[in-house]
Amino acid sequence: MYRNAAARLARSSRSSTRALSSMAKRPTLVASAAAGANVARSNVGAVRGLKKINFGGVEELVHERADWPREKLLEYFKNDTMALIGYGSQGYGQGLNLRDNGLNVIIGVRENGASWKAAIEDGWVPGENLFPINEAIEKGTIVMNLLSDASQSSTWADIKPLLTEGKTLYFSHGFSPVFKELTKVDPPTNIDVILAAPKGSGRTVRSLFKEGRGINSSYAVWNDVTGKAEEKAIALAVAIGSGYIYQTTFEKEVYSDLYGERGCLMGGIHGMFLAQYDVLRENGHSPSEAFNETVEEATQSLYPLIGKYGMDYMYDACSTTARRGALDWYPIFKENLKPVFQKLYASVRDGSETQRSLDFNSQVNYREELEKELVTIRNMEIWRVGKEVRKLRPENN
């Protein structure tokens, strides 16, 4: 995955609304040279960390990082080599976390490509723990396919024959196998196929790990040949830097992920920002006032409090005037937006979003076409104003 200056700066980001603030500081871990064939695993620890938590009236099973301390991970994976394929955002974050956790991990990417060079910058050594894709897969017992969705599709014909019996295939997104009619990624039926999906970017996976915290992740099982697929998925989720892990399916993971990032996580919130900003500007408000009332107050004051304490807290804490207005208008927004979200979910579930993503991202001139759209966003008045507003923050002076 190509990395520009902005992406590199993102590595040092130390914030996330999904962070678990109660996580203890993670100790520094030493590297392990353990490698070898995939053998039967010993039952490390008689009781797996498992508890029921009531989420809004629904009980769910949850695993926590504390249930898989370093010694337990090192023992559990002592005979494994994690062959992490792809070094984009998730590959970068998960790979470095696995390495810092002392596990035997190698990277597989196209030799001398942009990702190869980026991996070298991060301390991966060619011939030692950095290899061409096919060579890495052959060496690995757990093959972690973290290529982009489009690349997983285009490389599958070469990768599948290398997934021999005894290996484990790992994904961090259900996209490729769930939509296999479109992607042609049909996992072998004679090996374990698992998923651990961090609920955030690979940069956040890395930054929260470095802070001694942990991102929340979901896990799922596609094939369980050995009888230990679920256990492996949970252990790997912790090993890559998760704080707590909840169960899902490949289908539910990809449906919720595609839906969420097009909705409240990115597309929907961006559209709402633009609409509110435009109306303020059209009614004579200055750019700075429109931005501060739309984005700055939301991201710097209100959203962090919602993330920390909840929306109910915001209703209790705001002025009586603000509270009355929010109570009156949120049902109107819900009524008008719900049909849009229903249409979006249907588009995700029927594969329309998958087909569009594959069609666009597999184009030869994909990067050039993408850059045109990104330039449009960078040049929007709202985000040019935001650049100047951020300079005024006390921490930037």
Side-chain angles (χ1 to χ4, degrees), residues 230-284:
E230 182 177 14
E231 187 176 67
K232 275 187 284 186
I234 295 166
L236 271 171
V238 173
I240 64 170
S242 304
Y244 78 86
I245 308 102
Y246 60 91
Q247 188 176 35
T248 186
T249 66
F250 272 65
E251 290 82 3
K252 289 179 180 177
E253 188 281 329
V254 70
Y255 295 161
S256 62
D257 187 82
L258 295 182
Y259 173 74
E261 64 197 12
R262 284 155 176 75
C264 289
L265 301 181
M266 288 184 68
I269 198 67
H270 188 197
M272 196 163 77
F273 280 157
L274 293 177
Q276 177 166 309
Y277 181 89
D278 284 353
V279 170
L280 285 170
R281 292 289 285 122
E282 289 161 5
N283 282 275

Side-chain angles (χ1 to χ4, degrees), residues 19-207:
L20 299 177
S21 59
S22 62
M23 292 299 168
K25 182 77 175 176
R26 179 187 293 272
T28 301
L29 303 179
V30 296
S32 169
N38 191 19
V39 298
R41 301 168 189 274
S42 57
N43 186 18
V44 186
V47 179
R48 298 297 174 198
L50 183 65
K51 60 187 65 176
K52 286 186 177 181
I53 296 180
N54 188 307
F55 290 100
V58 178
E59 283 196 338
E60 296 184 40
L61 299 177
V62 174
H63 299 262
E64 295 182 291
R65 185 178 70 181
D67 302 319
W68 284 86
R70 177 188 63 176
E71 294 78 10
K72 190 172 178 179
L73 289 173
L74 292 174
E75 174 64 23
Y76 191 76
F77 291 116
K78 66 182 179 181
N79 295 310
D80 282 305
T81 297
M82 283 79 166
L84 192 153
I85 311 304
Y87 202 68
S89 176
Q90 286 295 338
Y92 153 81
Q94 295 188 32
L96 291 179
N97 290 356
L98 287 167
R99 189 174 74 183
D100 286 354
N101 263 339
L103 301 177
N104 187 37
V105 55
I106 61 177
I107 302 297
V109 291
R110 181 170 59 85
E111 193 168 10
N112 296 320
S115 293
W116 180 275
K117 294 172 183 176
I120 291 175
E121 289 180 12
D122 290 335
W124 302 95
V125 181
E128 182 179 317
N129 52 23
L130 176 60
F131 301 93
I133 291 176
N134 287 8
E135 187 174 351
I137 294 174
E138 289 172 350
K139 292 177 179 292
T141 58
I142 298 176
V143 178
M144 305 175 71
N145 194 340
L146 298 182
L147 292 167
S148 69
D149 296 325
S151 293
Q152 287 188 21
S153 180
S154 63
T155 60
W156 184 246
D158 295 324
I159 288 177
K160 185 177 180 180
L162 303 175
L163 300 173
T164 53
E165 192 170 354
K167 294 183 185 290
T168 295
L169 177 60
Y170 165 104
F171 293 97
S172 278
H173 194 18
F175 186 98
S176 293
V178 170
F179 295 109
K180 58 182 181 291
E181 291 81 9
L182 300 173
T183 65
K184 309 307 178 187
V185 177
D186 53 333
T189 58
N190 63 339
I191 64 173
D192 287 348
V193 180
I194 59 177
L195 172 146
K199 299 297 106 179
S201 75
R203 310 292 165 181
T204 309
V205 171
R206 180 60 176 164
S207 64

Side-chain angles (χ1 to χ4, degrees), residues 351-370:
S352 299
E353 293 299 311
T354 295
Q355 187 64 65
R356 173 162 169 72
S357 178
L358 290 172
D359 290 345
F360 182 83
N361 296 333
S362 60
Q363 294 178 97
V364 175
N365 63 341
Y366 149 73
R367 295 193 187 283
E368 292 81 1
E369 292 301 310
L370 173 63

